[in-house]
Structures are given as structure tokens and as C-alpha cells.
Amino acid sequence: MIEAPPYLLIAALREELAPLSAGLESRTRLGSSAFGGVEGRLDRTPVRLVWTGEGPERAARGMEHALVGDVRGPILILGVAGALSSALRVGDLVVAREVVADGESMPAPADALASALRWPGSREGIVTSVDRIVGDDRAREELAASLPSGAPACVDMESATFVRTARARGFDCLVVRAVSDAVGDVLPSFLESSRRADGSIDRWQVALAAMRQPRTIPTLVALSRRLSHCAGELGRFARWWLDLQRSGHENRASEKLPRRPVPRSADERRR
């Protein structure tokens, strides 16, 4: 029997796909200087998991390489994002009805959007992409004011580039983002200044900056814990979504999995 091409699941960070990668069978490593990834079977479904690194430049290169060879659409774009709306809490899953960047709106395929929104607790919203880290409420408010009203919004750095690159190759995309920082959270300013020329974050620079500003360490620890939690939520969603693709119908779309609340950063520091 000829095996069907794999579904492509792509993210900026390896950690965002870690729960899915851990469950992969018949693994084959992928990767180059442009991206990292693995291919195999997840719950009997052939998949290709690719992580590109942060920022639009690396996202474009990584998506181009990820699309080499046969893949099945729609492409599932996963990762964390910062909330621009107070209605969004840490851990919420935002299914993008549209991705907005540079005045361009890229709507999701209607059928894929409708199916994804049957996942318990998912939120229909807007994802916008900018080439900077949005880390305080003033920047969030300015960005939110530029977006269409009527739906919760979140921000990342890669979704728009992922979608544009895939669309140019004839693929539809579904973007699902988990909220890792909420309105009111303040991210260390050195995260932006620690970005390299290609937009990726130099983690050694972040570590050195944190040592010079130890009051920021609890925030970084909280973000790391939130990333792990969000990756778990994204992984559960992705397995359910792949099951829908494999079965070809939505008879399992009403299956509910428990969702655990994420402690606020103050609680996390008391652990």
C-alpha cells in the first residue's frame, strides 16, 4: 500500500511541538541550517513536525524547506502568542479566523475554522504578526487599536510569514495559538534587544541580561512554565485535529479533554 503524504505541523520553537514529537513513532530526523524537524506517525497518522526558529526571516526559510516533497494540507501552524485583548487568559487557544499583517488580511478556510472551533474552550480570534516582541500594555494597546474590532486578538512574529509562504505554494493553513502572556504582563525589555539579525533570540544574551537584572528571573521562569503548559494544550488539540483529518468526518469532534487552568505568575513563584 502506498502511504499518504504527511500532514505538516509547523511552529517557531521546538518546545512548542515537544509533546507531539515525544509521541511520534517510526521517527526520521529532518533538518538543515534553516530548520529542524522530525517525520513519522502520530496515532497512526503520517506527520511532519517542523520548527523554524523565531522571527519572519527564519519562518520563511523554514516553511520553504518544510514544503519540499509531498505534504497534505491544510497546514497546521502552532505556537504561543501574546494576548492583545483582556478577554484572553494564559492558556487559551485562539483559532485564527484571519491573520493580519502589514495591512493584509489572510482569512482561514471556512471549513477548517468551523471544525477547529468545536474543540472545547477554543476561541475564534484574530492573529497579527509583527517583527518585534510586544511586551507591555502600551505596545499592546497601540497594536490592538490597528486591528478589526469584534474578536479577541493575539500577536506573534511568524504566523503571517508562514501563511504567505504556504499560500504561494498553493496550501491552505490553519493557525492556532496558545496565549502565553496576558494583558497586564510585562516582559523584560532585553528579550527584544537579544534578538539576532535574523530575528531569532540569542538565549545566551537573555541569560546574561537576566543575571544583570535578577528581578526579571521569576518572569522568565513563569514564561518557561507557561510555554510548557501551552505546548501541552496545543499538542492535545493537534492530536484531535489529526484524528478528524484521518477519519474524514467529525464524529469525534465532540470528545472533550479536561483543560487545567494555568496559575498566574505570582502563584507560579510560590511553587
Side-chain angles (χ1 to χ4, degrees):
M1 185 192 325
I2 299 176
E3 183 167 89
Y7 287 99
L8 174 59
L9 284 64
I10 192 166
L13 301 177
R14 181 174 186 167
E15 294 88 342
E16 293 167 328
L17 297 176
L20 293 171
S21 180
L24 211 60
E25 300 176 350
S26 305
R27 302 164 62 97
T28 301
R29 292 184 63 85
L30 307 171
S32 69
S33 60
F35 76 103
V38 289
E39 193 168 296
R41 300 184 69 84
L42 190 65
D43 301 330
R44 296 178 294 151
T45 303
V47 297
R48 180 178 299 170
L49 307 178
V50 169
W51 49 91
T52 65
E54 308 98 336
E57 182 178 328
R58 292 178 67 91
R61 293 203 312 263
M63 179 64 89
E64 288 284 359
H65 283 77
L67 291 174
V68 173
D70 290 336
V71 296
R72 274 191 289 181
I75 294 168
L76 185 58
I77 297 168
L78 301 170
V80 297
L84 297 178
S85 306
S86 58
L88 294 175
R89 297 177 61 83
V90 170
D92 282 350
L93 290 191
V94 178
V95 182
R97 76 180 188 196
E98 59 181 316
V99 176
V100 177
D102 303 320
E104 179 184 7
S105 174
M106 294 165 276
D111 55 347
L113 176 64
S115 294
L117 287 172
R118 298 184 67 178
W119 174 253
S122 61
R123 305 286 302 273
E124 178 179 351
I126 297 170
V127 173
T128 186
S129 298
V130 296
D131 190 12
R132 67 182 188 279
I133 294 173
V134 179
D136 60 67
D137 279 353
R138 179 176 179 180
R140 292 187 184 101
E141 290 169 3
E142 291 175 352
L143 189 54
S146 68
L147 299 174
S149 59
C154 60
V155 59
D156 65 30
M157 296 193 292
E158 300 87 15
S159 287
T161 300
F162 281 147
V163 173
R164 285 190 187 115
T165 307
R167 279 184 161 192
R169 297 282 299 275
F171 288 95
D172 286 329
C173 299
L174 179 68
V175 176
V176 180
R177 291 284 176 175
V179 175
S180 59
D181 52 284
V183 171
D185 289 337
V186 179
L187 306 184
S189 59
F190 57 69
L191 291 177
E192 175 64 28
S193 59
S194 297
R195 295 178 68 201
R196 302 183 182 92
D198 66 358
S200 61
I201 295 174
D202 186 331
R203 282 160 175 74
W204 282 108
Q205 288 298 320
V206 171
L208 290 172
M211 291 174 64
R212 292 191 292 267
Q213 302 179 48
R215 286 179 296 180
T216 65
I217 292 176
T219 299
L220 296 175
V221 171
L223 287 174
S224 178
R225 289 174 175 166
R226 290 178 179 185
L227 173 58
S228 179
H229 175 87
C230 288
E233 291 294 312
L234 291 165
R236 283 185 280 275
F237 169 85
R239 283 177 178 265
W240 171 85
W241 181 85
L242 286 167
D243 187 47
L244 288 185
Q245 310 312 305
R246 184 179 66 245
S247 63
H249 52 77
E250 298 189 356
N251 64 319
R252 302 185 188 181
S254 61
E255 293 181 1
K256 294 188 178 183
L257 295 173
R259 302 182 76 249
R260 295 171 297 178
V262 180
R264 310 305 292 173
S265 57
D267 294 330
E268 291 174 319
R269 292 196 293 270
R270 286 197 291 269
R271 285 186 176 182

